[in-house]
PDB file of all heavy atoms in Angstrom:
ATOM      1  N   PRO A 130      24.944 -26.786   6.771  1.00  0.00           N
ATOM      2  CA  PRO A 130      24.955 -27.319   8.147  1.00  0.00           C
ATOM      3  C   PRO A 130      24.870 -28.830   8.121  1.00  0.00           C
ATOM      4  O   PRO A 130      24.460 -29.456   7.110  1.00  0.00           O
ATOM      5  CB  PRO A 130      23.650 -26.777   8.799  1.00  0.00           C
ATOM      6  CG  PRO A 130      22.817 -26.371   7.675  1.00  0.00           C
ATOM      7  CD  PRO A 130      23.627 -26.080   6.485  1.00  0.00           C
ATOM      8  N   GLU A 131      25.355 -29.454   9.205  1.00  0.00           N
ATOM      9  CA  GLU A 131      25.464 -30.950   9.162  1.00  0.00           C
ATOM     10  C   GLU A 131      24.065 -31.594   9.105  1.00  0.00           C
ATOM     11  O   GLU A 131      23.849 -32.530   8.257  1.00  0.00           O
ATOM     12  CB  GLU A 131      26.131 -31.412  10.481  1.00  0.00           C
ATOM     13  CG  GLU A 131      27.645 -31.371  10.308  1.00  0.00           C
ATOM     14  CD  GLU A 131      28.378 -31.736  11.652  1.00  0.00           C
ATOM     15  OE1 GLU A 131      27.737 -32.530  12.402  1.00  0.00           O
ATOM     16  OE2 GLU A 131      29.431 -31.141  11.857  1.00  0.00           O
ATOM     17  N   ASN A 132      23.073 -30.982   9.799  1.00  0.00           N
ATOM     18  CA  ASN A 132      21.784 -31.539   9.720  1.00  0.00           C
ATOM     19  C   ASN A 132      20.872 -30.437   9.208  1.00  0.00           C
ATOM     20  O   ASN A 132      20.313 -29.587   9.957  1.00  0.00           O
ATOM     21  CB  ASN A 132      21.362 -32.026  11.052  1.00  0.00           C
ATOM     22  CG  ASN A 132      20.059 -32.850  10.917  1.00  0.00           C
ATOM     23  OD1 ASN A 132      19.239 -32.672   9.962  1.00  0.00           O
ATOM     24  ND2 ASN A 132      19.879 -33.836  11.779  1.00  0.00           N
ATOM     25  N   LEU A 133      20.621 -30.471   7.834  1.00  0.00           N
ATOM     26  CA  LEU A 133      19.918 -29.330   7.286  1.00  0.00           C
ATOM     27  C   LEU A 133      18.453 -29.299   7.800  1.00  0.00           C
ATOM     28  O   LEU A 133      17.928 -28.188   8.001  1.00  0.00           O
ATOM     29  CB  LEU A 133      19.798 -29.573   5.660  1.00  0.00           C
ATOM     30  CG  LEU A 133      19.248 -28.292   4.975  1.00  0.00           C
ATOM     31  CD1 LEU A 133      20.016 -27.055   5.195  1.00  0.00           C
ATOM     32  CD2 LEU A 133      19.100 -28.719   3.514  1.00  0.00           C
ATOM     33  N   SER A 134      17.763 -30.348   7.990  1.00  0.00           N
ATOM     34  CA  SER A 134      16.362 -30.347   8.417  1.00  0.00           C
ATOM     35  C   SER A 134      16.214 -29.843   9.836  1.00  0.00           C
ATOM     36  O   SER A 134      15.246 -29.182  10.031  1.00  0.00           O
ATOM     37  CB  SER A 134      15.702 -31.697   8.197  1.00  0.00           C
ATOM     38  OG  SER A 134      16.407 -32.637   9.018  1.00  0.00           O
ATOM     39  N   VAL A 135      17.193 -30.027  10.609  1.00  0.00           N
ATOM     40  CA  VAL A 135      17.162 -29.368  11.969  1.00  0.00           C
ATOM     41  C   VAL A 135      17.210 -27.855  11.874  1.00  0.00           C
ATOM     42  O   VAL A 135      16.476 -27.098  12.548  1.00  0.00           O
ATOM     43  CB  VAL A 135      18.270 -30.049  12.842  1.00  0.00           C
ATOM     44  CG1 VAL A 135      18.354 -29.282  14.185  1.00  0.00           C
ATOM     45  CG2 VAL A 135      18.095 -31.459  13.082  1.00  0.00           C
ATOM     46  N   GLU A 136      18.224 -27.535  11.029  1.00  0.00           N
ATOM     47  CA  GLU A 136      18.402 -26.118  10.817  1.00  0.00           C
ATOM     48  C   GLU A 136      17.216 -25.432  10.232  1.00  0.00           C
ATOM     49  O   GLU A 136      16.841 -24.251  10.648  1.00  0.00           O
ATOM     50  CB  GLU A 136      19.675 -25.896   9.884  1.00  0.00           C
ATOM     51  CG  GLU A 136      20.137 -24.474   9.738  1.00  0.00           C
ATOM     52  CD  GLU A 136      20.679 -23.881  11.011  1.00  0.00           C
ATOM     53  OE1 GLU A 136      21.106 -24.678  11.965  1.00  0.00           O
ATOM     54  OE2 GLU A 136      20.696 -22.709  11.172  1.00  0.00           O
ATOM     55  N   VAL A 137      16.574 -26.046   9.348  1.00  0.00           N
ATOM     56  CA  VAL A 137      15.357 -25.421   8.603  1.00  0.00           C
ATOM     57  C   VAL A 137      14.246 -25.367   9.721  1.00  0.00           C
ATOM     58  O   VAL A 137      13.578 -24.303   9.799  1.00  0.00           O
ATOM     59  CB  VAL A 137      14.921 -26.282   7.412  1.00  0.00           C
ATOM     60  CG1 VAL A 137      13.493 -25.903   7.012  1.00  0.00           C
ATOM     61  CG2 VAL A 137      15.850 -26.087   6.304  1.00  0.00           C
ATOM     62  N   ALA A 138      14.084 -26.347  10.466  1.00  0.00           N
ATOM     63  CA  ALA A 138      13.018 -26.394  11.598  1.00  0.00           C
ATOM     64  C   ALA A 138      13.343 -25.209  12.486  1.00  0.00           C
ATOM     65  O   ALA A 138      12.485 -24.578  13.020  1.00  0.00           O
ATOM     66  CB  ALA A 138      13.030 -27.624  12.198  1.00  0.00           C
ATOM     67  N   ARG A 139      14.635 -25.058  12.842  1.00  0.00           N
ATOM     68  CA  ARG A 139      14.923 -24.001  13.772  1.00  0.00           C
ATOM     69  C   ARG A 139      14.618 -22.678  13.174  1.00  0.00           C
ATOM     70  O   ARG A 139      13.976 -21.802  13.895  1.00  0.00           O
ATOM     71  CB  ARG A 139      16.457 -24.004  14.121  1.00  0.00           C
ATOM     72  CG  ARG A 139      16.986 -23.076  15.138  1.00  0.00           C
ATOM     73  CD  ARG A 139      18.471 -23.181  15.331  1.00  0.00           C
ATOM     74  NE  ARG A 139      19.119 -22.563  14.206  1.00  0.00           N
ATOM     75  CZ  ARG A 139      19.421 -21.275  13.949  1.00  0.00           C
ATOM     76  NH1 ARG A 139      19.164 -20.466  15.016  1.00  0.00           N
ATOM     77  NH2 ARG A 139      19.990 -20.807  12.969  1.00  0.00           N
ATOM     78  N   LEU A 140      14.899 -22.368  11.957  1.00  0.00           N
ATOM     79  CA  LEU A 140      14.591 -21.125  11.297  1.00  0.00           C
ATOM     80  C   LEU A 140      13.091 -20.846  11.239  1.00  0.00           C
ATOM     81  O   LEU A 140      12.559 -19.815  11.524  1.00  0.00           O
ATOM     82  CB  LEU A 140      15.146 -21.099   9.852  1.00  0.00           C
ATOM     83  CG  LEU A 140      16.633 -20.943   9.690  1.00  0.00           C
ATOM     84  CD1 LEU A 140      17.080 -21.023   8.263  1.00  0.00           C
ATOM     85  CD2 LEU A 140      17.075 -19.545  10.187  1.00  0.00           C
ATOM     86  N   LEU A 141      12.291 -21.936  10.918  1.00  0.00           N
ATOM     87  CA  LEU A 141      10.886 -21.780  10.881  1.00  0.00           C
ATOM     88  C   LEU A 141      10.313 -21.425  12.195  1.00  0.00           C
ATOM     89  O   LEU A 141       9.364 -20.615  12.322  1.00  0.00           O
ATOM     90  CB  LEU A 141      10.246 -23.048  10.238  1.00  0.00           C
ATOM     91  CG  LEU A 141      10.345 -23.264   8.799  1.00  0.00           C
ATOM     92  CD1 LEU A 141       9.940 -24.571   8.385  1.00  0.00           C
ATOM     93  CD2 LEU A 141       9.628 -22.136   8.010  1.00  0.00           C
ATOM     94  N   LYS A 142      10.860 -22.103  13.292  1.00  0.00           N
ATOM     95  CA  LYS A 142      10.386 -21.806  14.569  1.00  0.00           C
ATOM     96  C   LYS A 142      10.709 -20.386  15.016  1.00  0.00           C
ATOM     97  O   LYS A 142       9.839 -19.786  15.753  1.00  0.00           O
ATOM     98  CB  LYS A 142      11.193 -22.869  15.601  1.00  0.00           C
ATOM     99  CG  LYS A 142      10.150 -23.662  16.426  1.00  0.00           C
ATOM    100  CD  LYS A 142      11.018 -24.367  17.373  1.00  0.00           C
ATOM    101  CE  LYS A 142      10.301 -25.432  18.110  1.00  0.00           C
ATOM    102  NZ  LYS A 142      11.320 -26.617  18.319  1.00  0.00           N
ATOM    103  N   MET A 143      11.836 -19.932  14.599  1.00  0.00           N
ATOM    104  CA  MET A 143      12.194 -18.588  15.049  1.00  0.00           C
ATOM    105  C   MET A 143      11.163 -17.503  14.511  1.00  0.00           C
ATOM    106  O   MET A 143      10.997 -16.485  15.052  1.00  0.00           O
ATOM    107  CB  MET A 143      13.615 -18.201  14.369  1.00  0.00           C
ATOM    108  CG  MET A 143      14.689 -18.457  15.388  1.00  0.00           C
ATOM    109  SD  MET A 143      16.201 -18.402  14.382  1.00  0.00           S
ATOM    110  CE  MET A 143      16.716 -16.796  14.710  1.00  0.00           C
TER     111      MET A 143
END
Side-chain angles (χ1 to χ4, degrees):
Chain A
E131 276 172 32
N132 193 334
L133 186 65
S134 56
V135 172
E136 188 63 23
V137 166
R139 188 185 67 89
L140 286 172
L141 285 171
K142 235 189 194 143
M143 266 165 100

